[in-house]
Amino acid sequence: MVKDVAARAAVDDDGALDPRVTALRAAVARCRRELAGYRANLPDRHIAEDELAALAAAADAGVPDVPRLRRGLLVIAGALGSVSALSGALTEVRRAIELFGTPRPE
C-alpha cells in the first residue's frame, strides 16, 4: 500500500507529473548518456551504470525513497571518482535528488 501511495503522489490531481520526478529522470538520463559517451576506461563503470538504472527505475515508480536516492548518488560518485568530464551530469543528479528535501528520520 505504501508503494501505491508513493506512485500516486508522483502525479497531481490534474495528472501532471511531480516536477521533482521529472528533474530526476532528466538528470539520470543525461548522466547515463554522458557516461556511455565517455570512452576512457573506468574500472567501476558497470557499478555506476547499474546504479543509474536503479535511480531511473525508482523515478519511474513514483516519488522515490530519499535515503535510497542519496545512497545511490554516493555509489555513483564513488564508482566514477573525479572524472571532470562527467562532473556536470553528476552535479545535475545531485541537484535533482536535493529537490526531494531531507529524508524523514525513521
Side-chain angles (χ1 to χ4, degrees), residues 19-86:
R20 300 171 303 167
V21 174
T22 302
L24 180 61
R25 285 179 176 171
V28 168
R30 175 186 171 194
C31 199
R32 290 175 93 175
R33 277 192 315 273
E34 291 191 17
L35 179 58
Y38 187 74
R39 293 294 167 204
N41 181 35
L42 292 172
D44 294 329
R45 177 187 295 268
H46 65 284
I47 294 170
E49 290 169 341
D50 290 349
E51 199 58 41
L52 285 165
L55 290 182
D60 288 342
V63 176
D65 179 50
V66 176
R68 173 67 185 96
L69 293 177
R70 292 179 186 278
R71 281 191 301 275
L73 178 61
L74 288 173
V75 169
I76 296 165
L80 297 180
S82 60
V83 177
S84 61
L86 301 173

